[in-house]
Amino acid sequence: MGLILVLTLTVAGCWEGRELNARAFVTAVAFDVPTEEGADPMEFLLSVQIPIPAKMGEDGEQGGGDAPFVVYGTTAKMVSVGIRQLQRQLDRELFFGHTHMFLINSEVAATIGVDRLLDHFKRDFRVQRMTRIAIIDGEAREILNTQPPISQTPSAYIENLLSPQSGVAINYISDFGRFLVEQSDDGIDPVLPRLQPGKEATLTGGAAVIKNGKFRGWLSNFETRGLNIILNQGTGTKYEVECPLHPGESIVVGVDAFRSRYRWLEDNGQTIFLIQVRGKFETIEFSDGHGPLAAFQKDLEQRVSAVVRRELEQTVRRAQELGADVLGVGRYLQSYKPKRWQQVKDRWEQEFVALPIAVEVEMEWAMTIRRFGG
Amino acid sequence: MKRSFRRPRPVAELRKEKERKERTPEQEGQEQGPVLVPDLAANIAYLEARIGSSNDVVFREFVIPLSTPVRAVLVFVDGLVNGNAINEYILLALTTFEGTDAAWARDRRNLAENIKDHVLTINEVSIQTQWTPVITAILSGESALLLEGEDRALICNTRGWERRGIEEPTTESAVRGPRVGFNEVLRSNTAQVRRWIRDPDLRVKGIKLGVRTQTDVALVYLESIANPDLVTEVEARLRKIDIDSVVESAYLQEYIEDRPYSLFPTVQVTERVDRVVAALLEGKVAVLVDNTPFALIMPITFWQLYYSAEDYYHRWPLSILIRMIRFLAFFFSLYLPAIFIALAVHNPELIPFNLAIKIAGTREGTPFPVFLETLFMEIAIEILREASVRLPAPFGQTIGIVGGFILGDTAVRAGLISPIMTIIVALTAISSFTAPSFGVAITMRILRFPLMLIGQIGGLYGLSLATILLLINMAGIRSFGVPFLSPVVPLNLSDLKDFLFVAPRWTMIKRPLLNEPLDVRREGSKANHWWEALFNPPSRRRKGGGQEE
Amino acid sequence: MSGNERFLSSRQITLLILGFAIGGGILTLPSLAAEVLGASGWLLVLALGLLYMGSAWIAARLAAKFPEETIIEYSPRLLGKGFGLLFNLVFIVHLFLVIPVNIRILQELVNISLLPGAPVWFVSGSYLLVLAYGATRPVDQIAQVNELLIEIALLIGLFVALTAFQHFEPLHLRPLLSRDQINLDKIEQLIGMTFSFGSIPVVNMVVPYIRQPWQVTKATLKASLVITMVYSFFTATTIGVFGYKETIELSWVALELAKSVNAQAVILERLDLVLIVSWISALFTTGLIACYLVGAALGRLFRVRKEAAFIWGLAPVAYYLSTKLKNYFVWSQASFYVAVLSLVITFLGYPLLYLLSLVKGKHRV
């Protein structure tokens, strides 16, 4: 027994093993523009959010009004250096094994680049590829400081906002691993979700387009929804269309089960890139007195198709405006028309901007009907 | 293929054995112990000198009323004999029989045979001329009848001593199944086995072991099923035992085990009759020892240590569940504290975030590092467990309350240990109670402590290396020629049906092949392969296999 | 008790070959394959596997011809004394060199994830001790341990690969054999890949212990087939998930694959460490079998029965060599040399021996 004790005391805390309480779990990392005047343009403000275990463990009896987490920040040029600076004021070792999010301010993302900022974490084995990344339209640090309305930690709250379970189709779902893959693939530019910090709550929706590792521009909420549909990651969503029988009145339809596919059509030197989308919808709400009618079935299908098509076309137009191939057209070409890709790959950005892209949408009223009549 | 019993035998031993074999025939002639003499007084004097100074040895002198009356002495040990048998069938028979003038009564040369043949009405009588068997017989409850002028003794079976009734075994209780266990009387135990298996092939071989205790040991097997190599090997190992005394079957267990220094038992110990019976029917061999209810079964595999007799009495889906849970509990009882330490110290990223932060929260301010905390709690549990076994039953509950309440609750409230630790330690302790065999539960308890240390030093890497080491060690063990880890490795698909899950009974058409039984197929099944049986359950068959009474 | 007791089933032979092959190599194999053939890297793996199957067939035929002996004993008879000895030495050295590389891979894996900062003497040292202890056990015990460990490792590996399918992009596997992705001039990577395949020597060393020596060919071919399938499937999955460009950039591709898997249903938060923990056993089987083979080969070469002495004697050498392989680049260089030796033996040694055995066999008749 004595031997074991001696052994333990001498070898305890061996290698880099630490007690749970000797580690500071970093749940989220934020990158911002430095606040100090005259900072180097390549410098950034690195903030980490650390939950306080003692406060998280309680059911709020003694916790009082204090937030159950703290946020530390420092200005640095390299992430590792920043971490070292943060470590100076902490008695516990910063631990990134539980980091759930990277939040990057859009200005920093544009000047320094997402790729460059995350280089340290790419090489840290403890950081998971499932970690979420978001580009912040505003100050990223502010989000870390917001006390969430329901969830206990802001990180859990934000993570849910960025996850598929939040149930809105206007947020783009991505993570660290996917970002890295899209970053390295030819012929596709990665997109990251957008977050907007507010006074009361953080808003999700919209997306940031990244080109060559740097922030290029925003996609609006509906453009993001279109992108989701085109990239086959659409969750169910809703559209409002005009009632075919009563102009001015509207019908809300719930759409789901999208399938999109790409086609490359070449016709006597004329090339057209075609995006074909199929989907199903059901009627959800009527503003006038009648319910679903067999009479306007065809008409309604066409109207829904038109509404969806308009949205997708807007997405495509926006992507071409930004000059970023977020649709993965180039990747499609590389895979299915490798010869064509050989010719265009060196000047793909110009090619993509000038590429005629057509959208075909075919929506079917093929879901359940629960109630006829008003 | 011949069975390979990997038991290292040094050259010296082989040579000695050879010499012994060569010497035996001549020795038999020389090795005559002291013999009886045709003088009653001298015989009695000899006996008194050997065992007579104890006051429980009774020398009953009387006269047999032959034409020329013969003085006789009946020697027995009080308490070991059945008084009625002596009174009615020996004394009464010898003093009041008819035909005292018959022809045989005058033939004094064969008096002993004649008395045995014509007078004694007791069921088991033998004639001995040497002292050693006579004395052993007296000491095991038989009566020796010595006659005047006769150098032979009549040994009558009058055994009958106080015994415990047949009770439910306390160490292996079961919800469903027979409520009988062995008791301390060998004969009664072998009789119980007989009652179960009415097969003429059931063999009960008697061996006496222990130079001083002369304990009866019975080797029980089914001749038409058990592999003869196995039987001879067990018997040879038993006969090789040179031991002063056999107090409990554990004495023999240590002598016949393949790996006496290993932590794992390679012989199964049970006090359930049904377990022994089931083992015999699978082609195993059982060793019953007098004076203990614990029988030894061999060969066994590691997994069988975790089988309970009850597994076969429930309907098969339930048995599957029970067995899975038991193996899970086995894993917990061995690894849970070690894995917890490894994760908490080296790889907290493996613990889900919410749990990790909760654990960290509850550990805030506790004075000891995780490892020491776990170690203290485990030691406390071990002490509690030992105390509750030693204490008389009524106090057992007190220990539970004192231990559980004081140590657990108060220590947590005082902030000495974290609540999560009590959960883990309690789960570990409860898991270790699910082991149906006491022997293997102890192994797990011993192994848990080094594993905890390894978890602290080497983290998950250390644990996986330790597991590999353990596996290497276990793969090297053979229990009477059967690989300890089979049927998993080497894989045996047929035997796998009775492993993690228990297949429906009618699909287990073969006895476990590991024991290499002579008669592989279980009787009564018409199918050739288990899948045929699976799709043809008994209810669908037209003809039953039952016999008319 | 005679030393040549035949207690290995043909299934165990298959698993021994698998256990020797599948280890550290597979973790980097997709990376190398992608470097040479781009998106169609898995085709290269498949082709290599088929090539090795052919050589496995020759080796197994050779082994079946001498069911009572190992290659150490019959190679001098076939090649002549001098060349036979030379062949045997090359054979043993190439087996021996597997050990330090194996130890180094383990050290790197452990340091990268499970125990960052753990010193070499602790990790490599304890591993080597267990390795040597295991290798001194009788061959049936080694076969049993290998059987259990490799099955567990493969099951968990398969589980990880299947769960990673949620990120699978069929686009990543196209186009087939695009000209601009093919770099056949990357000889080093090409040969480095064969490091994962060279498992055939097992069969020529354990054939005296096989219960049914005539089944050895079937068992070897089965093993080679499984290896080929596992490698191709795994490479295809990896490239499909990451795309070939990202695959090239990652060092331990398999671990990254496990890291990208979201398995919330599992109690543990991440799968990568679970994969590493189980992969330690796959690495261990490689090292264990290599150690055993070296011991057995030396024992046969010098006609001594004390294989344990060789194994314990060579352990410090293996340890010293493993410390020399200080980082990824150095050990992959070392594995390249091992692979070259292995190539020479597999595609030169075996066919030559087989041909000679055919010729000499005829003479004897």
Side-chain angles (χ1 to χ4, degrees), chain A residues 15-16 97-98 100 124-130 180-181 184-186 331-332 334-336 338 342 345, chain C residues 112-113 116-119 122 169 171-172 174-175 180-181 242 245-246 256 259-262 269-270 272:
Chain A
W15 338 135
E16 288 181 12
H98 280 298
H100 292 158
D124 185 348
F125 190 80
R126 287 195 154 147
V127 174
Q128 286 198 279
R129 292 178 75 93
M130 288 177 270
L180 290 177
V181 169
S184 63
D185 275 356
D186 291 329
R331 193 163 72 168
Y332 174 84
Q334 182 189 22
S335 293
Y336 292 97
Q342 284 306 313
K345 71 172 179 181
Chain C
I112 212 175
S113 57
F122 176 70
E169 284 263 12
L171 272 178
H172 279 146
R174 292 191 57 107
D180 64 319
Q181 291 172 9
F242 292 127
K245 280 201 158 177
E246 175 82 350
E256 295 291 332
K259 271 175 74 167
S260 64
V261 168
N262 193 352
E269 180 143 303
R270 44 213 291 171
D272 49 347

Side-chain angles (χ1 to χ4, degrees), chain C residues 323-336:
Chain C
T323 55
K324 286 284 137 202
L325 308 173
K326 59 187 177 187
N327 65 26
Y328 188 98
F329 302 113
V330 183
W331 78 250
S332 53
Q333 190 68 34
S335 75
F336 169 77

